[in-house]
Amino acid sequence: RQFCGDLPLAVTPVTLKMRFNPNATGPEPEPVPGQLPSQVDVRQMSLFGAGWTLGSIKYLAESGAASVTCYETTGWRGVMETASGSPLPDQFPSQPGTVFPLYHVLADLGEFAGAEVLPSQSSNRLLVDGLALRHAGRTRVLLANLSPHLQRIRVQGLPGPVLVRHLDETTAASATAAPEAFRRNPGVQHASSDGRLDLDLLPYAVARVDQIL
């Protein structure tokens, strides 16, 4: 804002690793045969990648970014694998034709395009964080366990009963192999008590919490 005033801020690209070295004085060296290029992070296809994506979009959205561009479309820097699969399956063991878990974070956000970003705060944002949205009278909260341990959390300020869908180690295989079927699953109904909901999030899990209208 110090140099652009009130002009819209477009943040692009958001990636796990830098696409290029802005301080380089010469061409980037070719990767060692059998090793991943420097721009590729194996966590792209992981549950961690989904939680990291949610966290990055939360803070960019709450900071007033007008638009955010994340990743490429396909391949090991994308949101889904190509039909032919990883060029280095031993180093990047993705499955051909599948989506990556972060695909579902972006899809959950896309369903609420144009939503109002509601203020939300975690008591320990290095362990668990989330993004709250409201659109057309509906509220959606996305939560991410950013740690390798189960986290028991309490969500407050929810508007009545909700549906909760977990993307975690128990559902990731089906969610990435059959994304349309996973997205048709609305989740399990939970009754919040005075707007409070207690949840267990498995390591690196992402939970979608939807208000029941």
Side-chain angles (χ1 to χ4, degrees):
R1 288 300 179 196
Q2 290 179 340
F3 65 84
C4 72
D6 294 330
L7 292 174
L9 288 172
V11 183
T12 177
V14 175
T15 55
L16 285 166
K17 288 188 175 180
M18 290 192 301
R19 292 203 303 180
F20 60 90
N21 180 2
N23 300 312
T25 57
E28 184 172 341
E30 292 295 322
V32 176
Q35 297 298 313
L36 295 175
S38 61
Q39 308 96 331
V40 175
D41 192 319
V42 72
R43 295 173 298 178
Q44 188 83 17
M45 62 176 184
S46 70
L47 287 168
F48 171 89
W52 187 92
T53 301
L54 175 59
S56 64
I57 292 176
K58 168 195 170 68
Y59 286 102
L60 288 168
E62 291 182 352
S63 298
S67 69
V68 180
T69 302
C70 297
Y71 313 120
E72 298 178 2
T73 302
T74 61
W76 50 22
R77 292 182 296 189
V79 301
M80 62 185 75
E81 187 51 274
T82 61
S84 57
S86 170
L88 294 172
D90 290 339
Q91 301 293 328
F92 195 95
S94 57
Q95 297 299 312
T98 60
V99 304
F100 300 147
L102 55 83
Y103 167 95
H104 290 291
V105 171
L106 297 175
D108 286 337
L109 294 171
E111 291 174 353
F112 268 56
E116 173 190 3
V117 178
L118 303 177
S120 60
Q121 185 174 356
S122 170
S123 61
N124 191 334
R125 61 186 184 179
L126 295 180
L127 293 181
V128 177
D129 216 335
L131 173 63
L133 305 170
R134 181 176 293 143
H135 181 61
R138 298 173 57 207
T139 299
R140 169 169 289 178
V141 180
L142 299 177
L143 302 165
N145 178 358
L146 305 174
S147 80
H149 307 290
L150 182 145
Q151 299 294 334
R152 292 194 168 117
I153 67 170
R154 170 166 290 180
V155 187
Q156 302 187 83
L158 293 172
V162 294
L163 293 168
V164 181
R165 190 199 66 197
H166 291 264
L167 175 62
D168 58 27
E169 60 193 42
T170 69
T171 61
S174 59
T176 54
E180 294 86 358
F182 178 75
R183 300 207 57 75
R184 286 194 295 268
N185 175 15
V188 177
Q189 183 169 342
H190 291 255
S192 59
S193 175
D194 295 327
R196 298 190 306 271
L197 175 68
D198 294 328
L199 288 176
D200 284 349
L201 296 183
L202 292 176
Y204 300 119
V206 174
R208 187 185 74 183
V209 181
D210 276 348
Q211 174 187 5
I212 298 177
L213 296 178

